[in-house]
Amino acid sequence: MMRVGIGNDIHRLEKGRKLIIGGVIIPSDKGEEAHSDGDVLIHAIIDAVLGATAMGDIGTLFPDDEVFTENMDSTIMLREVLQKTKCRIVNLDSTVHIEAPKLRSHIDAIRDNLSKIMNIPVSAVSVKAKTAEGLGPVGEGLAIASDAVILLEGAS
Ligand code: MG
């Protein structure tokens, strides 16, 4: 059986925080403000996987008021979720919305890292980056957001 899932996430950008996207640290003077490491792309992917399998959402599995999720590496969350679903990922498409820095030179490293975590070829991992043309909280550099769509095989 094939199942599709959608996820999105947004975090405030704060000075002195690490900017982590898809498990890759991106050089920047601002990063995601969060209880966990704030990896906005991984959080969107987790919600897409949980959505495809109708297993709830990231806030249910990893509450942001628990000690065990404090500064938690989001790649560990994704690995745990993938183990629970027992599904094979067919492909991922995603978009990261950020005004600065430009992500173009980091996209392949992010795709490569995600392909390893999800155990699928890099050719099945799409990560796109967009600015918001100066509009809204993303455009003003106050926030980073992400969308993810995932197709799973073997869910029941
Ligand atoms: Mg989040």
Side-chain angles (χ1 to χ4, degrees):
M1 186 185 286
M2 308 288 267
R3 304 282 290 253
V4 68
I6 186 170
N8 65 68
D9 195 27
I10 186 166
H11 281 264
R12 289 176 192 276
L13 288 172
E14 302 279 356
K15 283 204 190 308
R17 292 279 304 186
K18 280 185 188 146
L19 181 62
I20 307 177
I21 302 175
V24 176
I25 297 173
I26 310 292
S28 173
D29 63 337
K30 288 190 278 188
E32 295 106 332
E33 197 278 312
H35 179 73
S36 69
D37 72 359
D39 190 325
V40 72
L41 175 55
I42 299 259
H43 293 182
I45 294 169
I46 288 171
D47 261 358
V49 172
L50 293 174
T53 52
M55 286 174 57
D57 61 33
I58 187 171
T60 311
L61 270 69
F62 304 100
D64 64 4
D65 55 359
E66 294 277 355
V67 173
F68 83 95
T69 55
E70 195 170 355
N71 298 315
M72 190 172 185
D73 178 344
S74 297
T75 64
I76 292 171
M77 298 184 198
L78 179 56
R79 287 179 205 276
E80 282 184 22
V81 166
L82 291 173
Q83 271 182 353
K84 279 197 177 107
T85 61
K86 299 185 180 75
C87 292
R88 191 180 74 82
I89 296 172
V90 177
N91 76 302
L92 163 75
D93 187 19
S94 65
T95 305
V96 178
H97 305 268
I98 188 169
E99 206 69 7
K102 290 271 186 272
L103 295 185
R104 187 167 304 139
S105 62
H106 303 287
I107 290 289
D108 283 344
I110 295 169
R111 291 175 66 215
D112 191 54
N113 198 45
L114 291 174
S115 81
K116 286 181 181 132
I117 295 166
M118 300 190 297
N119 199 26
I120 57 172
V122 75
S123 60
V125 178
S126 163
V127 178
K128 308 183 299 294
K130 287 183 80 71
T131 70
E133 302 283 335
L135 298 168
V138 171
E140 291 169 19
L142 302 174
I144 178 172
S146 185
D147 305 308
V149 174
I150 210 154
L151 187 66
L152 301 184
E153 189 175 35
S156 55

